[in-house]
Every structure is written in C-alpha cells, then in structure tokens.
Amino acid sequence: MAPGERITSIDEVPERGSHLFTVSDPHGTDREVILVRCREDPGVRAWVNVCPHEYQRLDRGRGAAMRDGEVICPKHGSMFDTCSGDCDNGEAAGTSLTAVEIAVDDGAVYLADEDYTYRHEGARDDDDGPSSTSHIGF
Ligand code: FES
C-alpha cells in the first residue's frame, strides 16, 4: 500500500527549524503544516503550523524557532515539545499542537493523514479571503 503523498526526505528537515508545507483540509481550506525533528522514532513529526494559544503561526516562512527539542512560539514564547506537541509553560501551558499523520519510508516522509491532501511545499498562498491577514508583510 502506498504510504501517501511524498512530502520531502528526512534529510531535508532541519535539525533546528522546520520544513513548512501546505495541505488542504476536508473543507478545501489550505492549512500550513510543519515537519520538525524529534528524538523518538521515526525522527520527525508533523504539526499544524498554529499556536493553540492565539492562532499564531509558529513558522512564519523562515523556519520555526527551536531550542532543546522544543518549538518556540514567536508571539509569547511558549515552548512545545516536538515529539508530543505538548506545552507546559507560559501563556500556552496545557495546550498541544494539532498532529498531522505522517509515515516515513526509506528516508522519505509521506503525508498519511486521511483528513488532508498535500498541496505544495512552503507557505499557504495568501488568496483565500480577508480573514487571512496573519502573514501579510512577509
Ligand atoms: S500565541 Fe503562542 S504562546 Fe501566545
């Protein structure tokens, strides 16, 4: 069985930072997802690129900020474990990132989440209406 759409190779996921890509959700809305390294198998995780505290993008197009295996929210500085997605500090304490299912096969990372369809590498195109003002200016 094919594992799904190929996203990238594991080697392309930075040790510090993130690989940003865009998927389409069941409603046809584009969502950004980040791939980040994790110490546990299979070595990477995929999370929806949104801080659960205030809908802040974690990767604003240049890779998410990372420290000691945690993604740092650029807005209030809460840190999320790259393996579990959980946050136990700052404004976002008690929240978790939203997981996107992936599969790793022979060094390649595939989108394995039935809720999402792979669209393209990089940020979401900024063309879906007046609500998407969060990344104007980039
Ligand atoms: S928006 Fe991320 S910690 Fe507040």
Side-chain angles (χ1 to χ4, degrees):
M1 196 176 74
E5 190 96 30
R6 186 180 184 281
I7 302 165
T8 186
S9 66
I10 277 207
D11 290 347
E12 296 295 317
V13 181
E15 293 286 347
R16 291 170 66 95
S18 49
H19 176 90
L20 181 66
F21 64 101
T22 298
V23 299
S24 155
D25 75 9
H27 308 289
T29 304
D30 283 357
R31 305 255 173 229
E32 291 180 353
V33 181
I34 53 171
L35 269 182
V36 289
R37 296 270 184 171
C38 155
R39 291 173 304 274
E40 297 162 18
D41 273 353
V44 286
R45 292 283 191 277
W47 305 107
V48 173
N49 185 31
V50 169
C51 175
H53 178 227
E54 279 186 5
Y55 213 77
Q56 166 67 44
R57 294 166 86 209
L58 299 167
D59 181 337
R60 294 179 290 182
R62 294 173 199 180
M66 299 249 297
R67 192 194 306 143
D68 298 335
E70 301 199 294
V71 178
I72 307 168
C73 174
K75 194 161 184 178
H76 302 117
S78 281
M79 311 211 311
F80 297 84
D81 187 284
T82 59
C83 293
S84 67
D86 295 340
C87 174
D88 62 3
N89 58 87
E91 303 271 347
T95 66
S96 297
L97 302 177
T98 302
V100 173
E101 223 176 298
I102 52 168
V104 172
D105 186 40
D106 203 18
V109 187
Y110 298 88
L111 180 64
D113 198 312
E114 289 181 358
D115 288 343
Y116 300 110
T117 310
Y118 185 81
R119 295 265 287 133
H120 54 76
E121 189 172 318
R124 195 167 73 136
D125 302 326
D126 212 354
D127 60 1
D128 49 5
S131 62
S132 60
T133 53
S134 63
H135 45 294
I136 284 176
F138 267 91

